[in-house]
PDB file of all heavy atoms in Angstrom:
ATOM      1  N   LEU A  19    -157.965-140.222 -29.330  1.00 81.00           N
ATOM      2  CA  LEU A  19    -159.418-140.105 -29.269  1.00 81.00           C
ATOM      3  C   LEU A  19    -159.920-140.352 -27.854  1.00 81.00           C
ATOM      4  O   LEU A  19    -160.807-139.649 -27.361  1.00 81.00           O
ATOM      5  CB  LEU A  19    -160.084-141.065 -30.255  1.00 81.00           C
ATOM      6  CG  LEU A  19    -161.606-140.955 -30.369  1.00 81.00           C
ATOM      7  CD1 LEU A  19    -162.021-139.528 -30.735  1.00 81.00           C
ATOM      8  CD2 LEU A  19    -162.131-141.935 -31.382  1.00 81.00           C
ATOM      9  N   GLN A  27    -165.068-134.195 -21.659  1.00 95.00           N
ATOM     10  CA  GLN A  27    -166.009-134.407 -20.557  1.00 95.00           C
ATOM     11  C   GLN A  27    -165.578-133.719 -19.256  1.00 95.00           C
ATOM     12  O   GLN A  27    -166.324-133.735 -18.284  1.00 95.00           O
ATOM     13  CB  GLN A  27    -166.193-135.903 -20.327  1.00 95.00           C
ATOM     14  CG  GLN A  27    -166.867-136.584 -21.502  1.00 95.00           C
ATOM     15  CD  GLN A  27    -166.927-138.087 -21.353  1.00 95.00           C
ATOM     16  OE1 GLN A  27    -166.677-138.630 -20.285  1.00 95.00           O
ATOM     17  NE2 GLN A  27    -167.257-138.770 -22.441  1.00 95.00           N
ATOM     18  N   ILE A  41    -153.268-116.721 -21.053  1.00 97.00           N
ATOM     19  CA  ILE A  41    -151.984-116.223 -20.553  1.00 97.00           C
ATOM     20  C   ILE A  41    -150.932-116.247 -21.656  1.00 97.00           C
ATOM     21  O   ILE A  41    -150.179-115.279 -21.841  1.00 97.00           O
ATOM     22  CB  ILE A  41    -151.540-117.029 -19.315  1.00 97.00           C
ATOM     23  CG1 ILE A  41    -152.493-116.751 -18.153  1.00 97.00           C
ATOM     24  CG2 ILE A  41    -150.090-116.724 -18.944  1.00 97.00           C
ATOM     25  CD1 ILE A  41    -152.351-117.702 -16.981  1.00 97.00           C
ATOM     26  N   GLY A  43    -151.478-116.167 -24.883  1.00 97.00           N
ATOM     27  CA  GLY A  43    -151.852-115.141 -25.860  1.00 97.00           C
ATOM     28  C   GLY A  43    -151.474-113.750 -25.407  1.00 97.00           C
ATOM     29  O   GLY A  43    -151.001-112.928 -26.193  1.00 97.00           O
ATOM     30  N   PRO A  54    -141.987-106.995 -33.163  1.00 95.00           N
ATOM     31  CA  PRO A  54    -143.018-107.476 -34.101  1.00 95.00           C
ATOM     32  C   PRO A  54    -142.537-108.587 -35.034  1.00 95.00           C
ATOM     33  O   PRO A  54    -143.351-109.298 -35.615  1.00 95.00           O
ATOM     34  CB  PRO A  54    -143.386-106.229 -34.915  1.00 95.00           C
ATOM     35  CG  PRO A  54    -142.927-105.077 -34.090  1.00 95.00           C
ATOM     36  CD  PRO A  54    -141.761-105.560 -33.291  1.00 95.00           C
ATOM     37  N   GLU A  55    -141.236-108.765 -35.161  1.00 93.00           N
ATOM     38  CA  GLU A  55    -140.678-109.781 -36.050  1.00 93.00           C
ATOM     39  C   GLU A  55    -140.230-111.027 -35.298  1.00 93.00           C
ATOM     40  O   GLU A  55    -139.499-111.854 -35.847  1.00 93.00           O
ATOM     41  CB  GLU A  55    -139.492-109.190 -36.822  1.00 93.00           C
ATOM     42  CG  GLU A  55    -139.847-107.977 -37.656  1.00 93.00           C
ATOM     43  CD  GLU A  55    -140.920-108.255 -38.689  1.00 93.00           C
ATOM     44  OE1 GLU A  55    -140.858-109.306 -39.355  1.00 93.00           O
ATOM     45  OE2 GLU A  55    -141.823-107.419 -38.824  1.00 93.00           O
ATOM     46  N   TYR A  75    -166.105-113.755 -28.334  1.00 65.00           N
ATOM     47  CA  TYR A  75    -166.568-113.368 -29.657  1.00 65.00           C
ATOM     48  C   TYR A  75    -167.300-114.514 -30.327  1.00 65.00           C
ATOM     49  O   TYR A  75    -168.344-114.345 -30.919  1.00 65.00           O
ATOM     50  CB  TYR A  75    -165.406-112.944 -30.554  1.00 65.00           C
ATOM     51  CG  TYR A  75    -164.703-111.681 -30.116  1.00 65.00           C
ATOM     52  CD1 TYR A  75    -163.342-111.543 -30.295  1.00 65.00           C
ATOM     53  CD2 TYR A  75    -165.397-110.632 -29.546  1.00 65.00           C
ATOM     54  CE1 TYR A  75    -162.686-110.387 -29.914  1.00 65.00           C
ATOM     55  CE2 TYR A  75    -164.744-109.478 -29.163  1.00 65.00           C
ATOM     56  CZ  TYR A  75    -163.390-109.359 -29.358  1.00 65.00           C
ATOM     57  OH  TYR A  75    -162.745-108.225 -28.984  1.00 65.00           O
ATOM     58  N   GLU A  77    -168.153-118.806 -29.721  1.00 78.00           N
ATOM     59  CA  GLU A  77    -168.075-119.900 -28.762  1.00 78.00           C
ATOM     60  C   GLU A  77    -166.933-120.809 -29.192  1.00 78.00           C
ATOM     61  O   GLU A  77    -166.883-121.279 -30.315  1.00 78.00           O
ATOM     62  CB  GLU A  77    -169.381-120.670 -28.728  1.00 78.00           C
ATOM     63  CG  GLU A  77    -169.406-121.723 -27.651  1.00 78.00           C
ATOM     64  CD  GLU A  77    -170.738-122.426 -27.568  1.00 78.00           C
ATOM     65  OE1 GLU A  77    -171.766-121.768 -27.696  1.00 78.00           O
ATOM     66  OE2 GLU A  77    -170.715-123.650 -27.399  1.00 78.00           O
ATOM     67  N   ILE A  83    -159.884-126.190 -29.106  1.00 93.00           N
ATOM     68  CA  ILE A  83    -158.854-126.153 -28.071  1.00 93.00           C
ATOM     69  C   ILE A  83    -157.953-127.379 -28.204  1.00 93.00           C
ATOM     70  O   ILE A  83    -156.726-127.281 -28.108  1.00 93.00           O
ATOM     71  CB  ILE A  83    -159.487-126.075 -26.662  1.00 93.00           C
ATOM     72  CG1 ILE A  83    -160.336-124.801 -26.512  1.00 93.00           C
ATOM     73  CG2 ILE A  83    -158.419-126.173 -25.574  1.00 93.00           C
ATOM     74  CD1 ILE A  83    -159.594-123.503 -26.659  1.00 93.00           C
ATOM     75  N   LYS A  95    -143.641-124.586 -27.899  1.00 95.00           N
ATOM     76  CA  LYS A  95    -142.665-124.964 -26.870  1.00 95.00           C
ATOM     77  C   LYS A  95    -141.251-124.976 -27.455  1.00 95.00           C
ATOM     78  O   LYS A  95    -140.324-124.423 -26.855  1.00 95.00           O
ATOM     79  CB  LYS A  95    -143.011-126.333 -26.291  1.00 95.00           C
ATOM     80  CG  LYS A  95    -142.049-126.777 -25.208  1.00 95.00           C
ATOM     81  CD  LYS A  95    -142.416-128.131 -24.656  1.00 95.00           C
ATOM     82  CE  LYS A  95    -141.426-128.487 -23.559  1.00 95.00           C
ATOM     83  NZ  LYS A  95    -141.089-129.863 -23.503  1.00 95.00           N
TER      84      LYS A  95
END
Side-chain angles (χ1 to χ4, degrees):
L19 185 56
Q27 294 174 12
I41 293 167
E55 301 301 317
Y75 294 145
E77 186 176 320
I83 299 299
K95 181 180 181 216

